[in-house]
Structure formats: structure tokens, C-alpha cells
Amino acid sequence: MHDFFVSKKIAFEAIGVWCVLTGMYVFVTRTLDIDVSFAFHVSISISIVLLSLLVYQSLRASMNARFLAQSMVKDALLYSHELFTEVYQAGPVPYVLVDVNGTVESLNRAAMRLFKTSEEVCKGTNIFDAVESENTVRIGLCREYLKQGIAVNDEEVRVMQVGGTHRWVMLSIFSFTDSARTQKGLMTFVDITKQKQVDAAKTEFVSLASHQLRTPLTTMKWNMELLHSTNPNAFTGEQQELYGRVMQGLVRMDLLVTDFLNASRFELGTLTVDRTQFDLTTFVYELMQDHRAHAEERQIQIEEVWGERPYLIYSDLKLLTMILGNLLSNAVKYTRDGGHVRLEVMREAEWVIFKVIDTGIGIPPDEHEQIFSKIFRASNARAQVAEGTGLGLYIVREAVTVLGGTISFVSQIGVGTTFTVALPNEPFTRML
Amino acid sequence: MESTQIAKKILIVDDEKDLRDAMSMALGYEGFETIVAADGKEGLIRALVEKPDLVFLDILMPVMDGIEMLKLLRKDPWGKTVPVIVMTAIDSMDKIAEVIEQGGNEYLPKSRTTLGAIVQKAKERLNA
């Protein structure tokens, strides 16, 4: 567009010069009576020379402008590259540039500090050799995502530093194609070690507090019981009611402390899995007894149904108690008076399947995804029952995961909910 | 329990004084004779000397824990057969497998068990 205007200007200038020269020619030839043909040739020659000069100058100006523009673009590119290099190298976030397999091509200074290494040492090694996760499947997924060019966002992993120490980081991977059309990955590692330490300290505090609360709670419960059992007839009706309230409060507090302690143990990873072989029939019977009294108080029919009966199970007793205890407790708690709660137990190949079915209030569909989150209670559950820590289903999911099982549910508002837990029972199968 | 009968003897081993006192009182009301110990070492000595009919044993204790005491008790010819009910706190639920392995007859989660249930267990075990 610019060139077009320059050419137009030149044309106008040329026409202007031509008109002036023509005017001069007419004036000079008429006043001085000069030979017309000679004067004509002279004026034409001068015009051509002037015109050529004009064209030359315009072209030169145009070329200068183009050169200047190119030079500016070059400078801008160079500046942009330098800026990018500076940001990449001196940025506070550790960056590692890798190929599709995770082989390191370059890393910035922050990454060198994070890994306690130099680019020369790190170049050519596989980044995934220095990354760990509590869930090894997650690392495999990150590798696969990198290969396929899928972004990875905020994956909590541990990076192993040279010297054997480690840091907790949030790993993100962004895939792109370079100028040679080769797919690369840019990895960012945001250090969250301090945050993890604070979290661990908080969890440890909860664990310690829960642990310390346990003994005085039991002492209070047992002594209240002694007080009542030694003077059962000495209590007036009002005292009896007050006694009941204290006992109820103590039982609730005990459940809260247990939930906090269990949740903190999962978080701290201090919960060990001790699988033993035990009689599932007795276990289920005793578990149902624990919930029967509460259910019957509210005319809720509670029953157990057995499919192909797995008499023995090879599992962790305390984790199974947490899983089924919490699910049954929720089922009774959120079922209206006169409803039904059923526990189904069956065997499917190497798995034992437990289904806890209730005719309760159901879980709102838009809250299904959050139901296993920590400290989350469904809106209708909060409206219906005031008490509850929001830790029950979190504990259930963690316990199921630790045991290598799966959990799922279907729920309909006002109709009920069915939780299905599948736990592996391999040694039992071998025993047969 | 008839007063003419010899009272069955129960040993309570727990480092928490308030808890062992409450248990001792509840079992005492039902006519059982109770003896107490504050740790596994004291518990083992009292068990071997007094030869109780039943032992209620806590797991997490100073000096000597419940599992170690159980292990040593089961090595004794008399101690091999005495019924031992292990009282577990949630913190020591992990030890259940070990408790069974070392010869614990039964386990009760302490915080979830009422005194009434403990007395009931004692009666069942001792046919009292």
C-alpha cells in the first residue's frame, strides 16, 4: 500500500515537472524566437534527466524504507529471542525442554538448582528417571501424554535430586512443535515442598490431637457408664435424660476423633495394610449388629443378603471395617424412618463385591463428583442431618484404594443410593 | 455370682490408670477379683505369680508393650492357655494380625467398647 502511494506521488511530481518545462518551453521559444526543434529536444532531454532523478530518488527512498522495516523486524525478532532466552534461563520456575520420550534437551538455571545438577550432566538423560510418584501409574500416564502431545497439568510428583534428597513439585507438561516440525515438550516444575511440609505438620497436629483426645474420651464414657450402672435407680427422669445427652455427645465426639485420626493417617501414609484371613460371615454379622440398633430405633429395616458366599476373606480387618462401617452408617443416617438398608455380599471370580443399598435421600447429580472429597457433605445431607465431618466417604475411598479395590455408586434423589465396593480376594481363590 | 464361690481372678494390664480403674471397678461390681498392672513387664510378673483366669491386655504401653508380653506369656507352660483379650486402640489396630499370631484369643476396640460389653466378654470367657 505504501509503495502504491509513493509511485502515485512520483507520477504527480513527474507530471508537474513536465508541465513547468512545457510552460518554460512555450515562453522561451516565443519571447526569444529560438529554433523550436532544438529547444524541444533540449527540454525533452532535461525532462528525462529530471524524471530519471526523481524515479531514482523515489526508488531509493522506497528501498530505504523497506530495508529499515526489515531491519526493525530483525531487531524485534532478535530482541524477542533474547527476551525469551532470558526469561527461560533466568525465570524463577524450573523449565526442562524434552523430546517426546522425555530425553532432556535443555534446562534453565532454576531447573539446575532444583535437580542440583548442570545442563551437561542432565542433557541426554531421561527426565522420568528423576521423577517419582506415590502412584507409579501416574508417571506412566505422564510419559504417555507427552508422547501423544496431551497437556499434563499440576501432577503432584517428587523429583529426585543429585545427592539422594528430593523435593515435592507440581509437574505440568506443554507439548509443541518446533521450527523443524519436531514435537517437543516443555516441562515446568513448581516447588511445593514447603506447602507439603505445612500440610504434613497440620495433619500431624490433627493426628496427635485426635490420639491424645481418645483416652480421656474413653475415660469419660466408662466413668459415666459406671455412674449410671452403680446408681440406676437413683437417677430422676431429668437426670436420666441429661445422662443420655452426655453419653450421646461423647459417642459423637468419639466418632469425630476417629474420623480425623483415620483421615490424617491416610494423608500421612502411616496406615499400614495388614492382610489376614478371617471369617466374613462373623465379620458381617457383627458389623450389622453395630448398626441394627440405630436402624431399628427409626423403624428402618436392615438386612444382609448373600450371593455366592465367600466364607473367608483375605483382607485388612480395620480397613474393611472403615469401608463398610462408614457406608452402612451413612445408609442408616440418610434413610427416612421406615425405609430399607441392605448389604449384599457376593463373590465374583477373584473379587468380593459388597453393595450397600438404601432408600435414602440420594445424592444431588451435580455433587456426584465431589462426594469423595475431604470435608464435603452433600447439600441435602447437611440440610437433613446436622452432624457429620464430611470425612466418611473420603476415608472409604482411601481405604478401598489402599486395598487395591474399586468403588462406584448410583443415586437418585428421593429414591436412594447404591454403593458398590469390589475388593480383591486372590489368596482365597488360590486356597480353593 | 454367689459369694460362696471363689471369685474368678482377672488381670488388667493398661498404662492408663483411669481406664484400668474403671474396668477394675466394673468387673469388681460383678464379683470378679481384679489385679492391675501398668505395663507389660509388671503384667507378666503379676500374671505368672497370681495366675489369673483371664487377662485384659492393652497393646501400646511403655517399658514392655502388650505384644511382647503376650509373646513371653505364651512361652510359659501355664501362660500358654490362659485366655487373653487384647484391648486395641485405633492407633494399634494395625497390630491385630500380630496379636492373633502371638496367641491373643480376642480383640476389642477400646474406644468403641462399653464397660458393659467388657463385663459381658469376661462372663462369656469364664462361664460366670
PDB file of all heavy atoms in Angstrom, chain A residues 214-233:
ATOM      1  N   ARG A 214      -8.370 -39.333  72.594  1.00  0.00           N
ATOM      2  CA  ARG A 214      -9.012 -40.647  72.660  1.00  0.00           C
ATOM      3  C   ARG A 214      -9.135 -41.206  74.084  1.00  0.00           C
ATOM      4  O   ARG A 214     -10.217 -41.610  74.504  1.00  0.00           O
ATOM      5  CB  ARG A 214      -8.211 -41.616  71.781  1.00  0.00           C
ATOM      6  CG  ARG A 214      -8.715 -43.005  71.709  1.00  0.00           C
ATOM      7  CD  ARG A 214      -8.228 -43.641  70.476  1.00  0.00           C
ATOM      8  NE  ARG A 214      -8.666 -42.864  69.320  1.00  0.00           N
ATOM      9  CZ  ARG A 214      -9.889 -42.908  68.829  1.00  0.00           C
ATOM     10  NH1 ARG A 214     -10.772 -43.696  69.370  1.00  0.00           N
ATOM     11  NH2 ARG A 214     -10.225 -42.181  67.804  1.00  0.00           N
ATOM     12  N   THR A 215      -8.035 -41.207  74.816  1.00  0.00           N
ATOM     13  CA  THR A 215      -8.065 -41.813  76.156  1.00  0.00           C
ATOM     14  C   THR A 215      -9.009 -41.065  77.112  1.00  0.00           C
ATOM     15  O   THR A 215      -9.855 -41.691  77.741  1.00  0.00           O
ATOM     16  CB  THR A 215      -6.637 -41.913  76.719  1.00  0.00           C
ATOM     17  OG1 THR A 215      -5.878 -42.688  75.798  1.00  0.00           O
ATOM     18  CG2 THR A 215      -6.610 -42.586  78.070  1.00  0.00           C
ATOM     19  N   PRO A 216      -8.907 -39.709  77.201  1.00  0.00           N
ATOM     20  CA  PRO A 216      -9.871 -39.041  78.088  1.00  0.00           C
ATOM     21  C   PRO A 216     -11.325 -39.257  77.681  1.00  0.00           C
ATOM     22  O   PRO A 216     -12.197 -39.332  78.538  1.00  0.00           O
ATOM     23  CB  PRO A 216      -9.488 -37.557  77.988  1.00  0.00           C
ATOM     24  CG  PRO A 216      -8.421 -37.443  77.011  1.00  0.00           C
ATOM     25  CD  PRO A 216      -7.894 -38.780  76.694  1.00  0.00           C
ATOM     26  N   LEU A 217     -11.555 -39.408  76.386  1.00  0.00           N
ATOM     27  CA  LEU A 217     -12.932 -39.664  75.927  1.00  0.00           C
ATOM     28  C   LEU A 217     -13.436 -41.004  76.440  1.00  0.00           C
ATOM     29  O   LEU A 217     -14.557 -41.121  76.940  1.00  0.00           O
ATOM     30  CB  LEU A 217     -12.959 -39.685  74.398  1.00  0.00           C
ATOM     31  CG  LEU A 217     -13.390 -38.407  73.699  1.00  0.00           C
ATOM     32  CD1 LEU A 217     -13.215 -38.551  72.203  1.00  0.00           C
ATOM     33  CD2 LEU A 217     -14.837 -38.101  74.015  1.00  0.00           C
ATOM     34  N   THR A 218     -12.581 -42.022  76.284  1.00  0.00           N
ATOM     35  CA  THR A 218     -12.961 -43.364  76.777  1.00  0.00           C
ATOM     36  C   THR A 218     -13.139 -43.318  78.284  1.00  0.00           C
ATOM     37  O   THR A 218     -14.075 -43.928  78.826  1.00  0.00           O
ATOM     38  CB  THR A 218     -11.884 -44.405  76.371  1.00  0.00           C
ATOM     39  OG1 THR A 218     -11.630 -44.265  74.975  1.00  0.00           O
ATOM     40  CG2 THR A 218     -12.329 -45.813  76.659  1.00  0.00           C
ATOM     41  N   THR A 219     -12.252 -42.591  78.985  1.00  0.00           N
ATOM     42  CA  THR A 219     -12.359 -42.477  80.442  1.00  0.00           C
ATOM     43  C   THR A 219     -13.714 -41.873  80.820  1.00  0.00           C
ATOM     44  O   THR A 219     -14.407 -42.387  81.716  1.00  0.00           O
ATOM     45  CB  THR A 219     -11.226 -41.567  80.992  1.00  0.00           C
ATOM     46  OG1 THR A 219      -9.989 -42.054  80.500  1.00  0.00           O
ATOM     47  CG2 THR A 219     -11.217 -41.540  82.498  1.00  0.00           C
ATOM     48  N   MET A 220     -14.093 -40.807  80.114  1.00  0.00           N
ATOM     49  CA  MET A 220     -15.381 -40.158  80.416  1.00  0.00           C
ATOM     50  C   MET A 220     -16.544 -41.113  80.173  1.00  0.00           C
ATOM     51  O   MET A 220     -17.451 -41.232  81.000  1.00  0.00           O
ATOM     52  CB  MET A 220     -15.538 -38.902  79.555  1.00  0.00           C
ATOM     53  CG  MET A 220     -14.765 -37.714  80.075  1.00  0.00           C
ATOM     54  SD  MET A 220     -15.247 -36.204  79.255  1.00  0.00           S
ATOM     55  CE  MET A 220     -14.216 -36.241  77.823  1.00  0.00           C
ATOM     56  N   LYS A 221     -16.492 -41.799  79.028  1.00  0.00           N
ATOM     57  CA  LYS A 221     -17.598 -42.716  78.687  1.00  0.00           C
ATOM     58  C   LYS A 221     -17.727 -43.820  79.729  1.00  0.00           C
ATOM     59  O   LYS A 221     -18.810 -44.123  80.212  1.00  0.00           O
ATOM     60  CB  LYS A 221     -17.337 -43.346  77.309  1.00  0.00           C
ATOM     61  CG  LYS A 221     -17.890 -42.531  76.173  1.00  0.00           C
ATOM     62  CD  LYS A 221     -18.011 -43.324  74.895  1.00  0.00           C
ATOM     63  CE  LYS A 221     -16.702 -43.905  74.440  1.00  0.00           C
ATOM     64  NZ  LYS A 221     -16.753 -44.579  73.173  1.00  0.00           N
ATOM     65  N   TRP A 222     -16.608 -44.431  80.073  1.00  0.00           N
ATOM     66  CA  TRP A 222     -16.642 -45.557  81.008  1.00  0.00           C
ATOM     67  C   TRP A 222     -17.079 -45.110  82.403  1.00  0.00           C
ATOM     68  O   TRP A 222     -17.831 -45.795  83.073  1.00  0.00           O
ATOM     69  CB  TRP A 222     -15.261 -46.232  81.074  1.00  0.00           C
ATOM     70  CG  TRP A 222     -14.984 -47.088  79.858  1.00  0.00           C
ATOM     71  CD1 TRP A 222     -15.785 -47.212  78.752  1.00  0.00           C
ATOM     72  CD2 TRP A 222     -13.851 -47.920  79.619  1.00  0.00           C
ATOM     73  NE1 TRP A 222     -15.226 -48.055  77.844  1.00  0.00           N
ATOM     74  CE2 TRP A 222     -14.025 -48.517  78.352  1.00  0.00           C
ATOM     75  CE3 TRP A 222     -12.703 -48.217  80.325  1.00  0.00           C
ATOM     76  CZ2 TRP A 222     -13.110 -49.404  77.795  1.00  0.00           C
ATOM     77  CZ3 TRP A 222     -11.778 -49.102  79.779  1.00  0.00           C
ATOM     78  CH2 TRP A 222     -11.982 -49.692  78.530  1.00  0.00           C
ATOM     79  N   ASN A 223     -16.599 -43.929  82.820  1.00  0.00           N
ATOM     80  CA  ASN A 223     -16.982 -43.473  84.162  1.00  0.00           C
ATOM     81  C   ASN A 223     -18.439 -43.032  84.215  1.00  0.00           C
ATOM     82  O   ASN A 223     -19.107 -43.213  85.234  1.00  0.00           O
ATOM     83  CB  ASN A 223     -16.039 -42.369  84.641  1.00  0.00           C
ATOM     84  CG  ASN A 223     -14.712 -42.955  85.111  1.00  0.00           C
ATOM     85  OD1 ASN A 223     -14.658 -43.677  86.104  1.00  0.00           O
ATOM     86  ND2 ASN A 223     -13.658 -42.712  84.362  1.00  0.00           N
ATOM     87  N   MET A 224     -18.929 -42.464  83.130  1.00  0.00           N
ATOM     88  CA  MET A 224     -20.365 -42.135  83.065  1.00  0.00           C
ATOM     89  C   MET A 224     -21.178 -43.422  83.164  1.00  0.00           C
ATOM     90  O   MET A 224     -22.212 -43.469  83.826  1.00  0.00           O
ATOM     91  CB  MET A 224     -20.682 -41.435  81.737  1.00  0.00           C
ATOM     92  CG  MET A 224     -20.297 -39.985  81.684  1.00  0.00           C
ATOM     93  SD  MET A 224     -21.175 -38.969  82.876  1.00  0.00           S
ATOM     94  CE  MET A 224     -22.817 -38.966  82.178  1.00  0.00           C
ATOM     95  N   GLU A 225     -20.685 -44.439  82.459  1.00  0.00           N
ATOM     96  CA  GLU A 225     -21.380 -45.725  82.480  1.00  0.00           C
ATOM     97  C   GLU A 225     -21.389 -46.308  83.893  1.00  0.00           C
ATOM     98  O   GLU A 225     -22.411 -46.832  84.351  1.00  0.00           O
ATOM     99  CB  GLU A 225     -20.642 -46.673  81.519  1.00  0.00           C
ATOM    100  CG  GLU A 225     -21.525 -47.708  80.877  1.00  0.00           C
ATOM    101  CD  GLU A 225     -20.719 -48.688  80.041  1.00  0.00           C
ATOM    102  OE1 GLU A 225     -19.741 -48.250  79.403  1.00  0.00           O
ATOM    103  OE2 GLU A 225     -21.054 -49.886  80.063  1.00  0.00           O
ATOM    104  N   LEU A 226     -20.229 -46.179  84.570  1.00  0.00           N
ATOM    105  CA  LEU A 226     -20.121 -46.670  85.949  1.00  0.00           C
ATOM    106  C   LEU A 226     -21.092 -45.924  86.866  1.00  0.00           C
ATOM    107  O   LEU A 226     -21.792 -46.524  87.674  1.00  0.00           O
ATOM    108  CB  LEU A 226     -18.687 -46.454  86.471  1.00  0.00           C
ATOM    109  CG  LEU A 226     -17.672 -47.556  86.232  1.00  0.00           C
ATOM    110  CD1 LEU A 226     -16.314 -47.108  86.744  1.00  0.00           C
ATOM    111  CD2 LEU A 226     -18.087 -48.856  86.930  1.00  0.00           C
ATOM    112  N   LEU A 227     -21.129 -44.603  86.670  1.00  0.00           N
ATOM    113  CA  LEU A 227     -22.004 -43.750  87.469  1.00  0.00           C
ATOM    114  C   LEU A 227     -23.450 -44.217  87.325  1.00  0.00           C
ATOM    115  O   LEU A 227     -24.198 -44.317  88.306  1.00  0.00           O
ATOM    116  CB  LEU A 227     -21.866 -42.300  86.992  1.00  0.00           C
ATOM    117  CG  LEU A 227     -22.601 -41.213  87.742  1.00  0.00           C
ATOM    118  CD1 LEU A 227     -21.974 -41.014  89.111  1.00  0.00           C
ATOM    119  CD2 LEU A 227     -22.560 -39.897  86.965  1.00  0.00           C
ATOM    120  N   HIS A 228     -23.826 -44.534  86.116  1.00  0.00           N
ATOM    121  CA  HIS A 228     -25.204 -44.947  85.835  1.00  0.00           C
ATOM    122  C   HIS A 228     -25.475 -46.355  86.342  1.00  0.00           C
ATOM    123  O   HIS A 228     -26.486 -46.616  86.967  1.00  0.00           O
ATOM    124  CB  HIS A 228     -25.459 -44.856  84.329  1.00  0.00           C
ATOM    125  CG  HIS A 228     -26.875 -45.122  83.951  1.00  0.00           C
ATOM    126  ND1 HIS A 228     -27.272 -46.293  83.372  1.00  0.00           N
ATOM    127  CD2 HIS A 228     -27.983 -44.363  84.111  1.00  0.00           C
ATOM    128  CE1 HIS A 228     -28.581 -46.251  83.166  1.00  0.00           C
ATOM    129  NE2 HIS A 228     -29.042 -45.082  83.599  1.00  0.00           N
ATOM    130  N   SER A 229     -24.520 -47.259  86.060  1.00  0.00           N
ATOM    131  CA  SER A 229     -24.783 -48.667  86.403  1.00  0.00           C
ATOM    132  C   SER A 229     -24.756 -48.908  87.915  1.00  0.00           C
ATOM    133  O   SER A 229     -25.405 -49.822  88.413  1.00  0.00           O
ATOM    134  CB  SER A 229     -23.784 -49.582  85.699  1.00  0.00           C
ATOM    135  OG  SER A 229     -22.485 -49.292  86.158  1.00  0.00           O
ATOM    136  N   THR A 230     -24.008 -48.064  88.630  1.00  0.00           N
ATOM    137  CA  THR A 230     -23.963 -48.286  90.080  1.00  0.00           C
ATOM    138  C   THR A 230     -25.160 -47.646  90.788  1.00  0.00           C
ATOM    139  O   THR A 230     -25.519 -48.047  91.881  1.00  0.00           O
ATOM    140  CB  THR A 230     -22.662 -47.708  90.688  1.00  0.00           C
ATOM    141  OG1 THR A 230     -22.470 -46.390  90.195  1.00  0.00           O
ATOM    142  CG2 THR A 230     -21.472 -48.568  90.344  1.00  0.00           C
ATOM    143  N   ASN A 231     -25.767 -46.633  90.167  1.00  0.00           N
ATOM    144  CA  ASN A 231     -26.934 -45.984  90.782  1.00  0.00           C
ATOM    145  C   ASN A 231     -28.094 -45.875  89.787  1.00  0.00           C
ATOM    146  O   ASN A 231     -28.636 -44.793  89.569  1.00  0.00           O
ATOM    147  CB  ASN A 231     -26.586 -44.554  91.238  1.00  0.00           C
ATOM    148  CG  ASN A 231     -25.408 -44.527  92.178  1.00  0.00           C
ATOM    149  OD1 ASN A 231     -25.509 -44.984  93.300  1.00  0.00           O
ATOM    150  ND2 ASN A 231     -24.300 -44.000  91.688  1.00  0.00           N
ATOM    151  N   PRO A 232     -28.492 -46.955  89.135  1.00  0.00           N
ATOM    152  CA  PRO A 232     -29.511 -46.807  88.084  1.00  0.00           C
ATOM    153  C   PRO A 232     -30.840 -46.266  88.610  1.00  0.00           C
ATOM    154  O   PRO A 232     -31.526 -45.527  87.914  1.00  0.00           O
ATOM    155  CB  PRO A 232     -29.671 -48.229  87.542  1.00  0.00           C
ATOM    156  CG  PRO A 232     -29.098 -49.122  88.565  1.00  0.00           C
ATOM    157  CD  PRO A 232     -28.127 -48.353  89.376  1.00  0.00           C
ATOM    158  N   ASN A 233     -31.187 -46.615  89.834  1.00  0.00           N
ATOM    159  CA  ASN A 233     -32.492 -46.179  90.340  1.00  0.00           C
ATOM    160  C   ASN A 233     -32.440 -44.807  90.999  1.00  0.00           C
ATOM    161  O   ASN A 233     -33.477 -44.236  91.318  1.00  0.00           O
ATOM    162  CB  ASN A 233     -33.036 -47.211  91.332  1.00  0.00           C
ATOM    163  CG  ASN A 233     -33.170 -48.560  90.656  1.00  0.00           C
ATOM    164  OD1 ASN A 233     -33.550 -48.632  89.486  1.00  0.00           O
ATOM    165  ND2 ASN A 233     -32.815 -49.628  91.368  1.00  0.00           N
TER     166      ASN A 233
END
